[in-house]
Amino acid sequence: MLARTPFRRVTFLLDAMLSMPFSRDVLNTIHLIAKSGSFAVAADRLNRVPSAVSYTVKKLEDELGFPLFDRSGRKARLTDAGQYFIDQSQWLVDSYDELVRNTAMISSGTEMSFSVAINNIVNREGLVDFIEQLDREFPATRISVKTEVYNGCWDALYDRRADLVIGAPHAAPILEGIVYQSIGHIDWDFVVARQHPLARRTAVLGAEALRAYPAIVVKDTSLHILPQDTWSLAGQKIIYAPDLTVAINMIERGIGIGYVPHHRIREWLDEGWLLKKAIAEHKQPTQLFYAWHAHRESPVLQWCTDYLTRSENRLRWCQ
């Protein structure tokens, strides 16, 4: 028989491990012997007779096709293959109880996946805390967070691309089957770059003065509901930015003009990189809501709504 190279030995071992079922009992037994160096000690800790432990190990070694332990000395020593087996199976031992616990959660009705849509204009400072605690509470659930713009927030809910929306704007276009709760409002500032031609104008700006410059807009992500633009004038060129951060940078560079949520540009205004201007028809504050489907039995959704509707969490999205 040809000797196997180290690479072929590793490949053979992995193939053997993947081709056979492992129980928690077998893995615990092997790892206890490896740690203690004794079949007798492992048997005592497992409340089993040594012959039963030896049988378990021998059966596994027969299935693998090679020994895990060198029994020639007073102590049971791992072979090279046995050491590799211990190293590569440790994650199975560590995660077995977690796997059982998480599977039980799914069996009891906890969702395998949960999707949150968040409006691009809301303050994101509370998002990481929310997701961290949600993940800790439901470790078996795969969580996804996506950004939606304007009516895309409602559209994601109606189209079931999202289970929960943070910051859906204005009132729900369709009320049937939807629960929504107010979380406050976002104030808007109309801004231009400090080097922009409009920066020197002190009078209230009318449509004719504004129309000459591109409006920087983040495009509505709605697929089925009529989309909206944050602000633009008839006949005005529109440049669509991929997100609010890029939109702010484009305005600061002087590429165009537009409205930005006040909480996003406080420092820009304080430093003088952006200038707030008065225009004839100022954009009104945008009312924001949490929104989710009514009459849905969901442990994850129930936890989310309980967490988000606390007063200290409700207000942070608009500040």
Side-chain angles (χ1 to χ4, degrees), residues 24 41 147 179 229 236 288 317:
R24 177 170 55 178
V41 171
T147 297
V179 177
D229 285 330
Q236 185 180 27
L288 299 179
W317 308 105

Side-chain angles (χ1 to χ4, degrees), residues 22 28-29 74 131 133 153 187 198 305:
F22 289 111
N28 280 341
T29 299
R74 298 182 60 183
I131 297 302
Q133 295 190 49
C153 296
D187 292 319
L198 292 177
T305 56

Side-chain angles (χ1 to χ4, degrees), residues 138-176:
F138 298 97
T141 300
R142 183 175 64 253
I143 303 166
S144 63
V145 182
K146 63 186 71 175
T147 297
E148 298 287 350
V149 181
Y150 308 117
N151 276 345
C153 296
W154 293 112
D155 187 77
L157 190 65
Y158 298 140
D159 198 36
R160 298 192 180 273
R161 302 194 307 274
D163 300 296
L164 170 71
V165 175
I166 298 175
H170 310 299
I174 305 171
L175 293 176
E176 185 177 357

Side-chain angles (χ1 to χ4, degrees), residues 191-249:
V191 292
V192 302
R194 63 181 180 180
Q195 74 277 14
H196 194 276
L198 292 177
R200 297 188 296 271
R201 302 281 291 270
T202 57
V204 174
L205 301 173
E208 290 305 316
L210 300 172
R211 192 177 287 114
Y213 305 99
I216 306 299
V217 173
V218 182
K219 195 170 188 177
D220 193 310
T221 54
S222 178
L223 301 177
H224 305 99
I225 302 172
L226 184 66
Q228 296 181 358
D229 285 330
T230 180
W231 175 84
S232 63
L233 301 169
Q236 185 180 27
K237 179 180 179 179
I238 298 176
I239 299 177
Y240 289 105
D243 56 55
L244 198 53
T245 298
V246 175
I248 294 171
N249 287 326

